[in-house]
Amino acid sequence: MIHIVTPENINRYRDAMEQAYRLRHQVFVEEKGWHDLAKPDGREIDQFDDGHALHMLAMQGDRVVGYQRMLPTTRPYLLTEVLPELCEVPAPRSARVWEWTRYAVQRDVRDRGRILSPVGSALLAGIVEWGLESGIESIVIEMNPLWLLRLVQLHFRVTPLGLPCRIAGEDTLAVVAAFDVRTLRRLRETRNDAASVLTARPALPQRLAS
């Protein structure tokens, strides 16, 4: 199940968030080689992990097996502050558009040969469920261009914001991916499960975006 962590409930997820920060370090520093993010304590935390970030945790029991972070585009966010070279048009800024960042899945629950493992699929479904319930219409993603086809197959409407650039040794493309109820239906078909992936209904995100 996907747990949504906000400033109001983050104290209840103290241990889980520690696992999430270490998972981020494992994926982005140890695996991807983004050594500028390395921290001596093995926890990957940046300037966007503030009171406006919304965290989503995929948990099996007390173990965090997947993670992703959502950032409001009404404030400075990763694309505008760290990766502006990926954007050749005015960067999206709207309460209805959030940025999807730091997607990470534990090694032992990844499904080789598939872009999205069951855990990854649940995380993506969590974004769409949360978004539809909260008035969100689209997400900004900085991703490998290989994700383009997969997102379209999942019924996202994807618009590139520029051309791919080489970032940390990997081609990276910024896009806006719009979604609606058809996207959620397609994700549920792909997962072969029509049940909600969220453990609780999220609070409206406009407060976080203010």
Side-chain angles (χ1 to χ4, degrees):
M1 298 294 289
I2 307 302
H3 297 246
I4 294 180
V5 180
T6 66
E8 284 71 27
N9 68 3
I10 196 167
N11 286 334
R12 300 205 306 268
Y13 287 93
R14 192 176 301 277
D15 291 342
M17 287 302 300
E18 285 296 310
Q19 292 183 54
Y21 295 138
R22 294 182 185 282
L23 174 59
R24 282 167 48 170
H25 199 278
Q26 171 197 312
V27 170
F28 296 104
V29 177
E30 299 170 22
E31 295 184 25
K32 288 184 173 291
W34 297 3
H35 298 300
D36 57 330
L37 302 180
K39 302 287 175 58
D41 63 2
R43 300 157 72 243
E44 195 279 296
I45 301 176
D46 66 16
Q47 69 267 38
F48 302 109
D49 292 304
D50 58 17
H52 302 279
L54 184 145
H55 310 273
M56 294 189 185
L57 308 175
M59 300 188 69
Q60 293 179 355
D62 293 330
R63 184 188 181 213
V64 174
V65 294
Y67 170 87
Q68 60 199 4
R69 181 181 66 187
M70 306 302 298
L71 299 175
T73 64
T74 52
R75 302 180 57 81
Y77 60 106
L78 192 68
L79 180 65
T80 61
E81 305 305 300
V82 180
L83 300 170
E85 65 271 30
L86 295 178
C87 195
E88 299 179 2
V89 298
R93 291 193 181 276
S94 169
R96 295 183 177 275
V97 182
W98 282 54
E99 184 183 44
W100 179 28
T101 68
R102 293 302 194 259
Y103 166 80
V105 175
Q106 293 281 5
R107 288 192 189 97
D108 62 331
V109 296
R110 297 175 196 167
D111 195 347
R112 291 185 178 181
R114 297 171 60 180
I115 293 179
L116 277 179
S117 65
V119 171
S121 180
L123 283 165
L124 193 52
I127 292 175
V128 176
E129 284 192 35
W130 163 79
L132 292 176
E133 295 180 5
S134 304
I136 309 303
E137 297 176 344
S138 57
I139 51 177
V140 173
I141 316 170
E142 299 86 32
M143 64 184 194
N144 188 302
L146 294 175
W147 270 80
L148 270 173
L149 177 59
R150 184 56 173 153
L151 287 173
V152 172
Q153 290 172 332
L154 292 171
H155 294 181
F156 285 87
R157 300 184 306 282
V158 184
T159 303
L161 296 172
L163 295 175
C165 294
R166 200 75 174 167
I167 305 291
E170 182 178 354
D171 285 340
T172 304
L173 176 70
V175 305
V176 173
F179 54 83
D180 56 27
V181 292
R182 297 171 298 178
T183 316
L184 181 58
R185 187 181 309 121
R186 178 60 176 161
L187 282 163
R188 287 175 170 173
E189 289 172 355
T190 301
R191 298 181 64 247
N192 195 29
D193 188 348
S196 172
V197 299
L198 300 178
T199 58
R201 305 341 304 158
L204 291 176
Q206 281 78 3
R207 176 188 46 74
L208 296 173
S210 63

